[in-house]
Amino acid sequence: MNFDLTDEQDQLRDAVRALGRRYGHSYFVSKAKAGEHTTELWHEAGRLGYLGVNIPTEYGGGGGGITELALVCEELAAAGCPLLLLVVSPAIAATVIHKHGTEEQRKRHLPGLADGSQKIVFAITEPDAGSNFHRLGTVARRDGDDWLLTGRKVYISGVDEADHVLVVARTEDSATGKLKPALFIVPTDAPGLEKSKLDMEILSPENQFLLYLDDVRLPADALVGESLDAGLPALFAGLNPERITVAAMGAGTGRYAIEKASDYTATRKVWGGRSIGSHQGVAHPLAHAAVQVELARLMIHKAATLYDAGRDLEAGVAGNMAKYAAGEAAALAVDTAVQALGGAGMTTEYGVATLLGAVRAGRIAPVSREMILNFVAQHVLGQDKSY
């Protein structure tokens, strides 16, 4: 059992940390408040190779795995720049296309995903079904050699920044007549695809959308994979990387909040010559939050290691646990930091309360803490399914 990063991973972590700190949380907040995107940071990260660390070298990537991409997510978040589209484009879309796309799809999309010139977002969640793919209402049907997609999607991140959206739909199996999942690479400017921005109480440069698909016509090669049989494994291929990188982003955000609070409480003096951090009522909550973040980081490392080793079932359990632990730890860390800073914690200047919405959302999405507990109860503890 080895908890040390390789020399290459250490160098990656340090380089990403330096990049993130050059931009910093004030850049992230200013972009969000102006209704703009973190375009400069994204393109520089792409140019330096950080966005494509998990993409094979033959397609312009770094040849690493989800372990490396998790490091990128964590370190940018620890610098105050938690980029949600890292989870969506390199983690989900690139993994799905690399593992289950056709060779033509790999050549067409992976180089752009690696250098940041292309973004592909992900659309599974629906107003009625949530992310339960068994009950999705978005349907794809054949029309000659083409496909026609009809349905609705909700809480789809970054559609206004992306060239394509990876849409999860259901198709009819010609042999059984039953509906089965399939994934389609849909241009965001396709006729029949409309988007409506959702107003969210989250300070983020990345927007959420409701999508309407009204007989969106797609060519045959928009279907991910060589056949409909690729649908289910392609869908599952993106879930573990999603959970691991979301967890990494949460852990990084927790580290950022604790660092900000610790710097403040170590120097803030109110009662005589002692810092407020010398009082256990201030120090202990911060220490407790730091422990929870570090425990989450260990589970993230385990989940990423299992995933990169091809141990998908074990990675599924560890990835869910990592996502749960990091979601709880990040929310605790930010809330504790705000409390430790007092009134300063609620100001934009100190850059902590600006993360409250995001870390609260991290306990809900992309899978809620309750559904993770259901998963653990059933698959780890051997309990009957409760839903």
Side-chain angles (χ1 to χ4, degrees):
M1 187 177 295
N2 186 357
F3 294 98
D4 293 327
L5 299 178
T6 66
D7 289 342
E8 291 80 6
Q9 290 168 341
D10 259 329
Q11 292 168 11
L12 173 65
R13 180 182 62 183
D14 292 344
V16 175
R17 179 185 300 147
L19 172 65
R21 289 184 173 178
R22 272 203 290 113
Y23 284 86
H25 191 57
S26 59
Y27 164 83
F28 181 88
V29 170
S30 66
K31 288 292 183 179
K33 289 193 171 183
E36 299 173 354
H37 304 306
T38 52
T39 306
E40 302 87 354
L41 174 55
W42 184 270
H43 285 314
E44 186 166 358
R47 180 177 58 80
L48 293 171
Y50 304 150
L51 302 181
V53 290
N54 62 310
I55 294 174
T57 55
E58 59 263 39
Y59 303 107
I66 292 302
T67 298
E68 285 74 19
L69 186 59
L71 288 173
V72 174
C73 292
E74 182 180 346
E75 291 306 322
L76 286 179
C81 299
L83 301 185
L84 179 58
L85 288 193
L86 279 171
V87 174
V88 178
S89 196
I92 301 176
T95 299
V96 167
I97 293 171
H98 166 226
K99 290 196 169 186
H100 296 282
T102 64
E103 183 59 23
E104 175 57 32
Q105 288 168 344
R106 296 186 192 106
K107 290 178 179 178
R108 188 187 311 157
H109 297 292
L110 291 182
L113 293 176
D115 66 18
S117 61
Q118 183 178 165
K119 295 175 184 175
I120 299 180
V121 295
F122 184 59
I124 182 171
T125 308
E126 295 187 356
D128 296 326
S131 56
N132 179 3
F133 71 87
H134 296 290
R135 298 181 59 85
L136 293 181
T138 300
V139 174
R141 67 183 190 279
R142 285 283 194 185
D143 185 44
D145 291 334
D146 293 345
W147 290 97
L148 292 176
L149 266 64
T150 299
R152 290 188 302 161
K153 299 291 181 179
V154 71
Y155 305 124
I156 310 306
S157 307
V159 181
D160 56 334
E161 301 180 61
D163 310 282
H164 297 82
V165 53
L166 191 60
V167 175
V168 183
R170 301 184 75 195
T171 63
E172 186 175 2
D173 188 323
S174 58
T176 65
K178 294 182 178 179
L179 293 176
K180 58 193 300 185
L183 278 70
F184 296 86
I185 303 173
V186 182
T188 51
D189 61 356
L193 175 63
E194 301 290 338
K195 64 180 184 292
S196 176
K197 184 174 175 290
L198 293 167
D199 291 329
M200 306 292 290
E201 295 300 322
I202 298 173
L203 185 64
S204 173
E206 294 148 329
N207 297 314
Q208 301 292 313
F209 290 88
L210 179 64
L211 296 185
Y212 303 90
L213 299 100
D214 184 11
D215 280 347
V216 176
R217 183 173 294 275
L218 300 170
D221 63 0
L223 174 70
V224 172
E226 300 287 354
S227 72
L228 290 176
D229 292 335
L232 191 59
L235 174 58
F236 281 122
L239 297 184
N240 285 339
E242 177 188 49
R243 282 151 175 69
I244 294 167
T245 50
V246 163
M249 190 167 64
T253 301
R255 284 172 50 203
Y256 168 84
I258 291 168
E259 180 181 348
K260 295 288 287 186
S262 297
D263 289 347
Y264 180 86
T265 56
T267 55
R268 172 73 166 163
K269 296 178 180 178
V270 178
W271 302 285
R274 300 177 64 187
S275 68
I276 62 173
S278 68
H279 297 276
Q280 292 177 355
V282 174
H284 281 189
L286 285 173
H288 173 64
V291 170
Q292 300 308 306
V293 169
E294 190 62 24
L295 291 173
R297 294 181 74 205
L298 288 173
M299 185 53 76
I300 294 163
H301 181 69
K302 177 179 179 179
T305 300
L306 288 169
Y307 182 83
D308 289 337
R311 295 160 65 178
D312 289 344
L313 291 177
E314 295 164 279
V317 173
N320 273 292
M321 289 183 171
K323 193 274 173 186
Y324 179 94
E328 299 298 300
L332 174 67
V334 171
D335 185 68
T336 302
V338 169
Q339 190 68 24
L341 269 68
M346 296 303 296
T347 65
T348 302
E349 176 188 356
Y350 281 87
V352 182
T354 44
L355 294 165
L356 281 168
V359 295
R360 188 62 186 82
R363 300 175 73 204
I364 300 169
V367 57
S368 72
R369 63 191 298 276
E370 290 76 18
M371 287 304 295
I372 292 176
L373 293 175
N374 284 335
F375 177 90
V376 172
Q378 181 182 351
H379 295 283
V380 178
L381 304 182
Q383 304 303 304
D384 289 338
K385 192 173 182 178
S386 62
Y387 58 95

